[in-house]
Amino acid sequence: MEKPSRRNVLMAGGTLGALGALSAASPAQAGSLWTWSPKGSVAGAGDGADPRWVWDAEADPLVASLLDRGDVPKVNTLLRTWTKNGQPLPSGLPADLRDFMENARRLPSWADQGKLATAVDFNEKRGLYLGVTYGFASGMMSTVIPREARAVYYSKGGADMRDRITKTAKLGYDIGTSNAYKPDGEMIVTCVKTRLAHAGVRHLLPKSPYWSKVADEEIPISQRDMMVTWHSLPTTVMQNLVKWKVPIPTAESEAFLHSWQVAAHMLGIKDEYIPATWNEANAQAEQVLTPVLAPTPEGIKLADILLNLGSSIDGGLLSKPILGSLTRYVLGDQIAGWLKIPKDPLWDPLFQVAWEPFVAVREGLLSLEKAPGALQKAYWAFDEILRLGALLYLSEGELPISIEIPQTNNPHH
């Protein structure tokens, strides 16, 4: 049986997984105090300000100005031609935008090329699991992050979820490529464009009467909101890989974290909020991510859209019950219940019993020939589901994928 290529798997995983990172916000618990110390960050120091009240002091006024003076259509057209990290910026950009982008595209001084190279090895070896966890841990989790779900639903991305998901695929795919941060890669471009898109959402979404009526914040996508989304990606992914007993060398684990630390910086998150270690990441996530998870009407609708994406081409195999059971297995009964995902008598127990042995076989820790017959059948079923999942999401998108500054909110809401 043909295995999914690394590109297919990472593209598929990124499709759902970057859902929050690309044009939404995530929540900050209204009443919880910020106690995480900047000593635990990559900066090692900071003023400790609650990131709920910090946004993007450089990008926000710039993009607001671009929108107000009518420059965004021209800027979006020009930026479609800027696709590679090392490529010069297009001529004709407004001077203030050019100055911002030249600064924003620089890697942080603490970026470690050795660790980024090791992260490539990790992504090569773990592509399948990364696809599953980006998609079903991170992507579906974003629908129970209230602020994120609302911001997706009421911003421009909510009007065409298939197009939206195609664009969100790009972040999860680009960070897994072998040249992510190199001159011929695209991760830096994707991050800078996403930073501009976020600033556009911050300017536009408060003008939506639909969003304003349900939102518990006046400006979306705060630094804390972005860190919540960030934790739904690498922190949650690593927690699942550990839970599934995937053996990961320390150097690779640290390198995977580093690739996402660099991504956080490039997305405009201040260094004093970016965790320096997995222990610090888990501690911060425990404070800002876990307590805010909750259902919303918007999130339930988004989850249903995601679970139905396969209906047109699944051929009866990559169907809603399988995706629902995988979501229930990865995120648990409570979240599956919030999202109104029905229990499935076939697939629910199969994931519970067979997923970890499936991982063990893939890791060479268990011989498939010596496994029980039922497990052998489950192994090939899982393999086929994941392969079809990759093809499904890839088929939704046309390359090149263009991330742009929004000019409107969701016109239907």
Side-chain angles (χ1 to χ4, degrees):
M1 175 174 299
E2 178 194 354
K3 291 183 179 178
S5 73
R6 196 176 122 278
R7 181 186 186 281
N8 283 10
V9 168
L10 286 176
M11 190 74 168
T15 297
L16 290 175
L19 188 66
L22 260 172
S23 73
S26 322
Q29 188 83 331
S32 63
L33 291 172
W34 175 253
T35 59
W36 190 78
S37 169
K39 291 178 182 175
S41 71
V42 294
D47 60 16
D50 188 331
R52 189 179 349 188
W53 310 112
V54 183
W55 290 271
D56 191 329
E58 296 173 305
D60 292 351
L62 168 65
V63 174
S65 174
L66 292 174
L67 283 161
D68 291 345
R69 64 195 198 222
D71 280 349
V72 169
K74 177 182 78 169
V75 164
N76 279 338
T77 299
L78 289 170
L79 289 184
R80 279 178 210 141
T81 67
W82 185 55
T83 58
K84 300 295 181 185
N85 299 334
Q87 190 181 338
L89 293 176
S91 58
L93 289 175
D96 52 356
L97 176 62
R98 173 178 292 277
D99 290 346
F100 165 80
M101 291 178 68
E102 289 292 10
N103 186 55
R105 71 192 291 188
R106 292 192 192 112
L107 288 176
S109 59
W110 44 265
D112 184 324
Q113 292 299 330
K115 285 186 177 180
L116 292 176
T118 302
V120 171
D121 295 337
F122 175 83
N123 287 322
E124 288 278 1
K125 287 195 276 189
R126 310 298 176 194
L128 178 79
Y129 312 128
L130 294 179
V132 173
T133 46
Y134 283 149
F136 294 95
S138 310
M140 293 302 289
M141 182 181 282
S142 73
T143 68
V144 290
I145 298 175
R147 287 187 177 177
E148 183 166 322
R150 292 183 190 120
V152 171
Y153 192 77
Y154 294 110
S155 66
K156 184 174 184 290
D160 184 347
M161 282 301 292
R162 285 179 183 260
D163 177 71
R164 164 65 204 275
I165 287 165
T166 299
K167 288 183 169 66
T168 60
K170 191 161 172 50
L171 189 81
Y173 171 65
D174 286 348
I175 198 169
T177 57
S178 60
N179 56 356
Y181 294 105
K182 292 179 180 175
D184 60 337
E186 300 186 7
M187 185 61 180
I188 293 171
V189 172
T190 294
C191 287
V192 173
K193 288 184 177 181
T194 299
R195 193 172 168 189
L196 293 170
H198 278 165
V201 172
R202 288 191 198 99
H203 186 64
L204 293 168
L205 202 53
K207 300 177 181 179
S208 164
Y210 305 102
W211 179 79
S212 299
K213 191 163 68 174
V214 297
D216 63 350
E217 58 186 345
E218 293 184 10
I219 304 172
I221 321 182
S222 69
Q223 293 273 311
R224 185 162 172 175
D225 293 341
M226 287 197 287
M227 282 312 304
V228 173
T229 293
W230 187 89
H231 285 300
S232 77
L233 288 153
T235 309
T236 301
V237 165
M238 186 54 68
Q239 287 171 350
N240 275 281
L241 296 182
V242 170
K243 184 171 72 180
W244 298 339
K245 305 180 182 68
V246 178
I248 302 169
T250 301
E252 289 185 13
S253 174
E254 291 177 354
F256 176 64
L257 174 61
H258 188 69
S259 70
W260 277 100
Q261 290 167 332
V262 173
H265 175 95
M266 300 305 290
L267 287 164
I269 295 171
K270 292 166 72 80
D271 288 358
E272 70 170 273
Y273 299 130
I274 303 171
T277 65
W278 283 120
N279 284 342
E280 290 289 353
N282 289 327
Q284 193 189 91
E286 193 63 31
Q287 182 180 356
V288 301
L289 174 64
T290 310
V292 300
L293 299 177
T296 60
E298 296 84 0
I300 291 167
K301 289 173 188 172
L302 290 173
D304 196 56
I305 290 170
L306 295 175
L307 291 173
N308 278 298
L309 274 178
S311 58
S312 59
I313 63 164
D314 71 19
L317 179 59
L318 186 70
S319 54
K320 191 173 179 180
I322 297 173
L323 295 178
S325 291
L326 186 50
T327 302
R328 180 180 296 278
Y329 175 69
V330 174
L331 294 182
D333 285 333
Q334 183 182 45
I335 289 177
W338 287 346
L339 296 175
K340 304 191 184 306
I341 297 173
K343 292 190 174 181
D344 186 272
L346 170 63
W347 290 103
D348 286 359
L350 195 57
F351 278 106
Q352 291 291 339
V353 171
W355 180 260
E356 281 194 23
F358 169 67
V359 170
V361 170
R362 279 199 157 263
E363 290 297 318
L365 305 175
L366 176 67
S367 165
L368 184 60
E369 287 72 29
K370 294 180 181 175
L375 175 56
Q376 292 185 30
K377 290 179 182 176
Y379 180 93
W380 295 117
F382 287 159
D383 219 47
E384 182 71 359
I385 288 165
L386 297 172
R387 187 179 71 82
L388 287 175
L391 295 175
L392 161 68
Y393 294 116
L394 277 176
S395 74
E396 294 299 327
E398 295 180 9
L399 298 173
I401 297 164
S402 180
I403 298 164
E404 301 186 350
I405 301 170
Q407 299 174 72
T408 61
N409 293 312
N410 185 339
H412 306 305
H413 293 286

